[in-house]
Amino acid sequence: MNKTHKDRAKELIMDRHNSARKAFMGWLGRSVLLCITAVPTLAIVFILFFILKESMPFFDNLGYVKEFFTSTNWAPSKEAPHFGALSIFYGTAMVTIGSCAIAVPLGITVAVCLSEIVSPRIAQTFKPIIELLAAIPSVAYGFFALVVFAPILQNHGGALISSVIIVAGIPLAALASMPASEIAIGRLFKGAKQTPKTILRWGFAIAFAAIPLWAGFSVFSIEINSGTNALNASIILAIMAIPTIVSISQDALSAVGRDMREGSLALGSTRFETIVKVMLPCAKSGIAVAVILGFMRVIGETMVVWMASGNSLKIPEPFYNFFEPVRTLTATIAGEMGEADQSTGSARYHVLFAMSFCLLMTGMLMNAASQWIGSKKSGK
Amino acid sequence: MKTSTRKVLDKSFTLTSYASLALMCLVIVLFLAPIIVNGIGAVVFRATVEHDKFLYETLGRESSGYREELEKSNAARKPLYEMMAHFEKSDNYGHLVEKINAARAQCLSKLESEADIIFAALDIEDSRERLEKVRAIADAAWSPYINEISALADDSLHNGGTLSAAEILKKQSNSLPGAAKLALNSLYEKKKLSFQQKSMLRRNFTSFPMSALAQNLEKLEQANAAYNSFKKGVAELLGPSTAAEKEKLNLLRQKYGQPRENLARDVFEQSVLHISVAEKDAEGRDVVRKVESAEYFKGTPVEEMISYMQKNMPQMMQYHWTVYLGFFFDNPYDSNIFGGIWPMILGTFYLTVGAMLIAAPLGVIAAIYFSEYAKPGRLVSLLRMCVGTLAGVPSIVFGLFGLSFLINTLRVSESKSVLAGAITLALLILPTIIKASEEALKSVPNSFREAALGLGAGKWKSIYSVILPSALPGMLTGIIISMGRAAGETAPIIFTAATSTGAALAVWEVFTQATPALPWNIYNMCSEHEMADKVQHVQYGMVLTLIAIVLTLNMVAILIRAKIQKKLKN
């Protein structure tokens, strides 16, 4: 009997021992998992640390810093170097704004079309096409911009742009004239008869349509000196940003409840009114996130701007001239790091890190903004 | 607003949105069409005999019908080379040289025999009269010689042989001053002359024929330069004419003519039908002008060569369709002007697989932690936020980070290496893998977990025997898509892994060596290549290969996803 007691006690102890071991192993496994999960966090910390460390020697020198943000004199390889990066910042801003101006309206329209207008089956077939656009490597876009698109833009740029303006602009302007004329009639000629109203409507339509016509013809004879310019980069970047904008806004639009849509339709509004007045306002935070992410994709893009923007160190004249070559931060980093002495740590090496620090900060701020907007939405 | 207006607005809005969809499709078609068409052209194209020659001599691959082609093309080229040889080395100038030399000897002897007249002329008081007289004597003395020279030059200009004529004239202008000096010296011995008189004699009796020689020579040299430009064009088109000449050349692009029909036509048009001629413009600067060679060589034997070439181009080049699968599997030769893109494909493969091997386990484990273990809290939301932030870091910043941390600080390799590039790319794709894997894990129904736990499996056991297998296809989708992304990224590998030239690496070299890779070489080829327009087919071929790799990976992912959806529906 004693023996068995002893054995049972032993078993119990072993059991406890085992469970302690098990618990320890579980804890260990969980910590290992946690450590591995922390790799992205570590990577962020290290990236911040190293980019900051390498750009510190540049930011320490205050004379350079003022020049960096205010001057356009960029001559990093000279005996007495100058690091005025204003034109580079300007080029980045220009290309980013240009591409967003194309990508945002187009992307949102496509998203609306996919989620609200076409049948789900067609939307399903379109999804891979949009994904295909997103999957194509940036260097392929850059190649297209440089080898295929730039010569076309240089030789037939004026005709191309003016035909786009006329073809796309006149219907849009005619459309826009309708609500405008309605509003004008409603405000000014409330009691007028039918005939003057009709005349007024046609007048509005013609006046509105004249704008793109005039713009198209004035652009027609324009001479483009270089096919690699801000416009080329903007268009190609817009194509790259559209998939991001489309897929995220589409998700946001489909997340809006059916009750909203059906309620609006039941109250007698057309589909257009439902979309503009109900769906888009409801999905606005999701669409804002989409725009921000598209913006981030554009601003961090290297190969397309390096190959398509022309890499000129001048601020275009006049400042909105998209036919001039420009240069962006990413292209400068990619182009000059090869020449900068990578190991000795020259001023040129550090200034490029300072640029990437600016890029990194912009990216992180944008990201924080998008996450903040996203969390606000989910909190609501 | 009126109902009709609202209806019109609604209809036209629908139309606009359809138009935007159509525009997207149009963009894809416009983008892919030139790349696909020209990219296929890198593999399937109209080759010339030079392409087969290169394959046979450098790679030891004999294409079918190569011998026959070679024979035919050689036969077609032979008359051209004969014409050229005949033009360059005219045999009928042997007696002319003798004639010229005889004329020179005669002129020089005349100098001695007319010594008295010369002395008399030198003694004339009036300086102008004296000069005229001396000049007249020199003129008379040298005119037979100068006539001979001019005749030679004119003859060669019209009938070919400017090269040998120029040689003769060069020899003459080398030896003439010495001979003239000898003759003059014998004059000086006869009578003591003042320094001025001597210089006058020298000027008139030596410089006079020399300038005539130089004039003729310049004419001939100009013709020769034009002919050499033409000949260079022919060599560029057809390759060197003889084996001995081939031995002397170093670059492959000089050893072989144009391997593709379109290039051959271009070169024929640019360098054979048009030649560059050096001229002086109105302000006396040297300018190089392109002229039509048929116009320039009108009436000379070269015109015949040009018309022969125009007629016999297809026979000389032996155009034929070919499928060059070696484009994918051959090494590049002479900066990609010949050969294929194997090292780039292999480099891309190493980088992609390396990045995947590093990122996939990390990403999957992190996703397991997030979805199975993590309890909501500050720490987890911080970790999650960092994943999002990492996804938002611009790719070029990853490249700089790889350079400063992996290479300059950690020193994972001496300089750029595949390993450093793969780690950088792994960090880049890690967020995508984590998010996709987490989605996949979340989509596993909770009943699976509960069933596994209920059957007595531990947490870990239930994860790896039940949850992971059912989430695997979804995870695979994410991993494959991010592999596609890693394959196409350029900016992170510029400073960490990519080199523009280099051989294919063996597996054990990836830890220390940089590699060529498709994305970087595409950039390099179309922006920094010395002959970017000569290798356009290679550029297109590389872009198509890269897009094909990326899209195939995506296609596989989409198929897997479709399968999962089907399964979920059932």
Side-chain angles (χ1 to χ4, degrees):
Chain A
M1 278 311 259
N2 261 353
K3 209 180 172 186
T4 39
H5 275 296
K6 220 178 173 180
D7 278 352
R8 282 188 64 187
K10 213 175 178 181
E11 268 168 28
L12 276 173
I13 291 167
M14 283 302 283
D15 247 22
R16 266 183 68 186
H17 188 78
N18 261 349
S19 70
R21 223 186 77 169
K22 238 180 177 171
F24 173 73
M25 288 308 285
W27 176 83
L28 190 72
R30 203 167 300 184
S31 332
V32 169
L33 280 187
L34 183 63
C35 286
I36 290 174
T37 312
V39 164
T41 315
L42 277 179
I44 282 288
V45 171
F46 272 65
I47 287 174
L48 260 179
F49 174 74
F50 273 92
I51 301 291
L52 200 60
K53 185 191 127 202
E54 299 283 12
S55 51
M56 235 31 227
F58 180 79
F59 283 129
D60 270 349
N61 196 331
L62 282 174
Y64 277 154
V65 171
K66 192 170 170 245
E67 190 188 28
F68 187 56
F69 289 110
T70 54
S71 151
T72 59
N73 185 2
W74 177 262
S77 54
K78 286 216 178 115
E79 205 53 38
H82 286 283
F83 299 106
L86 187 62
S87 61
I88 299 173
F89 281 108
Y90 186 81
T92 308
M94 192 164 169
V95 167
T96 310
I97 291 170
S99 57
C100 283
I102 301 170
V104 169
L106 202 58
I108 293 176
T109 317
V110 172
V112 165
C113 183
L114 285 181
S115 82
E116 304 294 322
I117 291 175
V118 299
S119 69
R121 216 167 53 88
I122 297 178
Q124 275 303 314
T125 36
F126 259 90
K127 215 175 163 203
I129 291 180
I130 301 287
E131 275 172 9
L132 193 140
L133 269 183
I136 289 169
S138 61
V139 70
Y141 282 114
F143 173 80
F144 178 82
L146 179 67
V147 176
V148 183
F149 192 47
I152 296 175
L153 201 59
Q154 188 162 342
N155 298 330
H156 316 288
L160 192 75
I161 295 163
S162 74
S163 54
V164 166
I165 289 178
I166 290 173
V167 167
I170 289 181
L172 283 179
L175 271 186
S177 78
M178 267 189 261
S181 61
E182 287 291 337
I183 290 166
I185 289 165
R187 287 269 161 83
L188 305 173
F189 308 94
K190 231 172 190 166
K193 284 196 185 110
Q194 198 58 39
T195 337
K197 274 187 189 170
T198 317
I199 292 171
L200 200 74
R201 278 203 192 99
W202 279 105
F204 259 83
I206 290 167
F208 269 65
I211 296 171
L213 210 60
W214 168 79
F217 278 117
S218 62
V219 166
F220 189 83
S221 57
I222 211 160
E223 289 268 327
I224 298 176
N225 293 326
S226 160
T228 51
N229 53 30
L231 181 71
N232 188 341
S234 298
I235 291 174
I236 305 293
L237 283 176
I239 296 174
M240 295 183 70
I242 282 174
T244 314
I245 297 180
V246 169
S247 64
I248 298 174
S249 350
Q250 201 189 341
D251 289 347
L253 282 168
S254 17
V256 177
R258 273 179 71 171
D259 47 344
M260 301 295 276
R261 185 181 306 134
E262 283 163 7
S264 165
L265 288 172
L267 285 171
S269 29
T270 60
R271 189 156 59 178
F272 171 65
E273 286 157 352
T274 308
I275 288 165
V276 172
K277 292 185 179 159
V278 178
M279 303 302 289
L280 288 181
C282 281
K284 71 168 186 270
S285 55
I287 291 174
V289 170
V291 171
I292 290 175
L293 290 183
F295 189 84
M296 274 166 66
R297 173 115 206 238
V298 168
I299 211 167
E301 179 48 52
T302 311
M303 296 317 288
V304 168
V305 288
W306 194 11
M307 292 162 93
S309 68
N311 290 326
S312 143
L313 274 169
K314 270 194 330 208
I315 291 182
E317 271 177 47
F319 66 90
Y320 51 81
N321 188 350
F322 269 88
F323 301 124
E324 292 271 319
V326 294
R327 192 177 197 182
T328 68
L329 287 172
T330 48
T332 311
I333 297 170
E336 301 214 357
M337 189 48 97
E339 293 163 30
D341 201 338
Q342 291 178 1
S343 47
T344 55
S346 56
R348 192 177 184 185
Y349 176 77
H350 295 302
V351 74
L352 295 178
F353 272 92
M355 283 181 165
S356 75
F357 181 70
C358 296
L359 269 180
L360 185 61
M361 280 297 113
T362 319
M364 284 185 160
L365 278 180
M366 290 280 159
N367 198 60
S370 76
Q371 289 194 348
W372 179 66
I373 294 172
S375 69
K376 228 175 53 170
K377 184 181 67 177
S378 59
K380 202 158 63 179
Chain B
M1 241 188 262
K2 271 177 38 177
T3 323
S4 62
T5 319
R6 287 169 58 196
K7 269 187 182 159
V8 170
L9 273 180
D10 186 44
K11 285 265 156 61
S12 43
F13 176 74
T14 312
L15 215 67
T16 314
S17 63
Y18 277 126
S20 67
L21 272 197
L23 184 70
M24 294 304 291
C25 296
L26 189 72
V27 163
I28 291 177
V29 170
L30 286 182
F31 173 78
L32 286 181
I35 288 178
I36 290 176
V37 170
N38 292 315
I40 289 174
V43 180
V44 183
F45 57 95
R46 298 267 292 169
T48 67
V49 67
E50 297 295 320
H51 173 75
D52 295 337
K53 224 186 259 179
F54 160 77
L55 284 185
Y56 179 68
E57 287 172 11
T58 312
L59 301 173
R61 238 179 273 153
E62 189 177 330
S63 43
S64 63
Y66 166 61
R67 305 263 160 197
E68 203 179 320
E69 261 170 36
L70 191 66
E71 259 169 44
K72 272 189 203 162
S73 78
N74 280 343
R77 288 171 190 199
K78 210 173 161 204
L80 177 73
Y81 286 140
E82 271 169 9
M83 272 190 254
M84 288 171 88
H86 183 74
F87 179 79
E88 283 160 32
K89 243 202 179 73
S90 199
D91 308 326
N92 47 3
Y93 289 143
H95 70 280
L96 278 180
V97 176
E98 277 167 27
K99 236 168 134 184
I100 287 170
N101 280 335
R104 190 170 89 179
Q106 203 187 348
C107 295
L108 289 174
S109 65
K110 210 171 178 186
L111 209 64
E112 282 180 63
S113 61
E114 290 181 355
D116 296 333
I117 308 170
I118 294 169
F119 292 143
L122 281 177
D123 285 338
I124 293 172
E125 284 292 314
D126 183 40
S127 65
R128 186 187 286 173
E129 208 175 310
R130 182 173 63 218
L131 188 62
E132 269 172 19
K133 189 80 190 159
V134 172
R135 238 181 223 169
I137 295 167
D139 231 355
W142 282 113
S143 63
Y145 176 66
I146 290 168
N147 284 344
E148 286 295 336
I149 291 171
S150 309
L152 171 71
D154 286 346
D155 180 56
S156 69
L157 277 175
H158 284 120
N159 303 324
T162 45
L163 283 168
S164 29
E167 206 121 294
I168 294 168
L169 291 199
K170 245 185 232 159
K171 265 187 202 152
Q172 285 293 323
S173 63
N174 283 341
S175 58
L176 185 72
K181 202 172 180 188
L182 278 179
L184 285 177
N185 277 347
S186 64
L187 271 187
Y188 302 156
E189 275 165 23
K190 281 188 186 158
K191 192 179 172 195
K192 205 164 171 358
L193 294 171
S194 73
F195 178 73
Q196 275 165 330
Q197 285 169 323
K198 274 185 186 173
S199 78
M200 187 173 208
L201 276 184
R202 216 176 19 248
R203 214 167 36 238
N204 283 295
F205 282 86
T206 316
S207 312
F208 181 64
M210 285 300 278
S211 72
L213 264 177
Q215 256 173 27
N216 281 312
L217 199 55
E218 197 184 339
K219 247 193 276 174
L220 291 179
E221 297 267 281
Q222 219 175 26
N224 284 341
Y227 174 73
N228 278 335
S229 165
F230 166 78
K231 197 181 166 193
K232 226 169 99 190
V234 173
E236 198 186 341
L237 179 69
L238 302 177
S241 53
T242 59
E245 217 169 299
K246 198 175 200 163
E247 284 296 304
K248 277 188 261 165
L249 299 166
N250 300 323
L251 292 173
L252 269 182
R253 74 188 80 157
Q254 296 166 333
K255 285 192 180 187
Y256 298 98
Q258 299 304 318
R260 300 165 64 94
E261 185 184 351
N262 57 338
L263 290 178
R265 285 187 191 283
D266 266 8
V267 167
F268 185 61
E269 181 64 36
Q270 300 290 330
S271 312
V272 178
L273 289 187
H274 290 87
I275 51 165
S276 36
V277 182
E279 276 180 355
K280 294 214 185 290
D281 67 356
E283 283 144 45
R285 280 173 305 200
D286 286 322
V287 285
V288 174
R289 201 162 60 90
K290 278 238 152 187
V291 293
E292 252 179 66
S293 35
E295 196 72 20
Y296 189 90
F297 290 115
K298 201 158 202 161
T300 69
V302 181
E303 199 189 8
E304 224 170 288
M305 294 179 208
I306 294 168
S307 66
Y308 177 82
M309 284 179 85
Q310 246 162 348
K311 257 181 240 147
N312 294 298
M313 267 291 279
Q315 282 76 34
M316 285 195 291
M317 299 307 286
Q318 292 291 320
Y319 301 134
H320 59 278
W321 281 103
T322 188
V323 179
Y324 177 45
L325 283 178
F327 180 74
F328 300 115
F329 307 114
D330 284 344
N331 283 320
Y333 291 89
D334 195 7
S335 8
N336 269 93
I337 293 172
F338 291 93
I341 57 169
W342 175 240
M344 294 93 185
I345 294 180
L346 194 67
T348 301
F349 174 77
Y350 283 146
L351 282 168
T352 312
V353 171
M356 200 268 292
L357 286 180
I358 298 166
L362 291 180
V364 169
I365 290 174
I368 291 174
Y369 183 83
F370 277 134
S371 93
E372 306 295 324
Y373 286 91
K375 297 179 185 74
R378 274 230 183 114
L379 178 68
V380 172
S381 65
L382 176 79
L383 291 179
R384 258 182 218 284
M385 199 191 81
C386 283
V387 175
T389 312
L390 195 65
V393 173
S395 57
I396 185 95
V397 176
F398 278 105
L400 287 187
F401 171 68
L403 170 68
S404 87
F405 177 62
L406 297 173
I407 293 178
N408 287 349
T409 308
L410 276 190
R411 300 207 167 275
V412 295
S413 55
E414 263 313 296
S415 63
K416 296 178 190 175
S417 72
V418 177
L419 180 64
I423 297 175
T424 314
L425 285 173
L427 288 180
L428 181 86
I429 60 175
L430 192 52
T432 325
I433 295 186
I434 293 179
K435 277 179 193 160
S437 306
E438 212 188 327
E439 286 297 315
L441 285 170
K442 268 187 193 155
S443 69
V444 176
N446 256 338
S447 55
F448 279 38
R449 290 187 185 88
E450 283 151 12
L453 290 172
L455 284 172
K459 179 128 190 161
W460 181 237
K461 177 103 182 160
S462 71
I463 287 175
Y464 80 71
S465 61
V466 177
I467 300 171
L468 269 187
S470 50
L472 192 67
M475 289 181 168
L476 222 52
T477 314
I479 291 171
I480 292 172
I481 285 181
S482 45
M483 270 176 82
R485 171 129 194 250
E489 275 294 343
T490 320
I493 62 169
I494 301 174
F495 313 126
T496 55
T499 162
S500 42
T501 54
L505 298 187
V507 177
W508 58 86
E509 284 173 323
V510 298
F511 298 104
T512 52
Q513 301 277 319
T515 179
L518 281 173
W520 168 248
N521 281 70
I522 290 169
Y523 165 76
N524 198 58
M525 280 243 149
C526 58
S527 304
E528 287 170 12
H529 196 275
E530 55 204 311
M531 302 171 91
D533 50 344
K534 271 265 161 84
V535 291
Q536 228 172 27
H537 59 282
V538 184
Q539 298 166 8
Y540 276 110
M542 286 209 288
V543 174
L544 184 64
T545 312
L546 183 62
I547 289 184
I549 291 173
V550 172
L551 291 191
T552 311
L553 286 172
N554 273 269
M555 226 52 121
V556 170
I558 287 173
L559 283 182
I560 294 177
R561 197 175 56 196
K563 227 171 198 176
I564 301 169
Q565 274 168 355
K566 219 174 176 182
K567 218 161 120 192
L568 282 181
K569 263 185 196 164
N570 292 342

